[in-house]
Amino acid sequence: QVQLVESGGGLVQAGGSLRLSCAASGIIFSINSVSWYRQAPGKQRDLVATIPRTGSTNYADSVKGRFTISRDNTKNTVVLQMNSLRPEDTAVYYCYTYSVATRTAYWGKGTLVTVSS
């Protein structure tokens, strides 16, 4: 059974930082692309950052230069480091991966990030 569990969300003031983690079980992150999405209240879920199996990471324009996505293969975890946070970054952040082997997409349950002005 595949599980993705996000952690690290919380309340932070504008300009502050948070570090989100996505821990996986039942699937090996290192052989799959992993992404972070976010969904603000009343809005659609948007892609924030992707770390592919190989190649360069990708970021939404709104977070470039502020957010960094990385892997820790020893812990089967993907991290989203968020700096210079803004109130508009407030959202529920979700971890996502797609298993090429099983052709199945997996989502975590999300972690809430609230940035106060």
Side-chain angles (χ1 to χ4, degrees):
Q1 182 180 1
V2 175
Q3 282 192 316
L4 306 183
V5 179
E6 302 97 335
S7 62
L11 174 64
V12 64
Q13 288 189 331
S17 298
L18 282 175
R19 184 179 176 90
L20 306 184
S21 292
C22 177
S25 59
I27 191 169
I28 300 173
F29 266 167
S30 62
I31 62 173
N32 294 286
S33 173
V34 181
S35 298
W36 284 94
Y37 284 76
R38 67 185 181 186
Q39 187 167 19
K43 296 189 177 181
Q44 67 181 21
R45 191 172 297 187
D46 292 327
L47 179 63
V48 175
T50 297
I51 185 164
R53 185 175 64 85
T54 59
S56 301
T57 54
N58 296 288
Y59 298 92
D61 287 343
S62 58
V63 306
K64 280 181 182 176
R66 301 188 298 124
F67 290 12
T68 303
I69 188 170
S70 61
R71 295 180 187 274
D72 184 341
N73 291 336
T74 63
K75 297 180 180 179
N76 206 25
T77 298
V78 169
V79 170
L80 185 68
Q81 178 66 43
M82 307 187 297
N83 299 327
S84 302
L85 283 161
R86 305 167 180 168
E88 54 264 39
D89 295 318
T90 295
V92 178
Y93 284 72
Y94 297 91
C95 182
Y96 167 88
T97 192
Y98 179 80
S99 170
V100 175
T102 62
R103 300 182 183 179
T104 305
Y106 299 98
W107 290 92
K109 293 183 178 181
T111 185
L112 177 63
V113 171
T114 304
V115 185
S116 63
S117 57

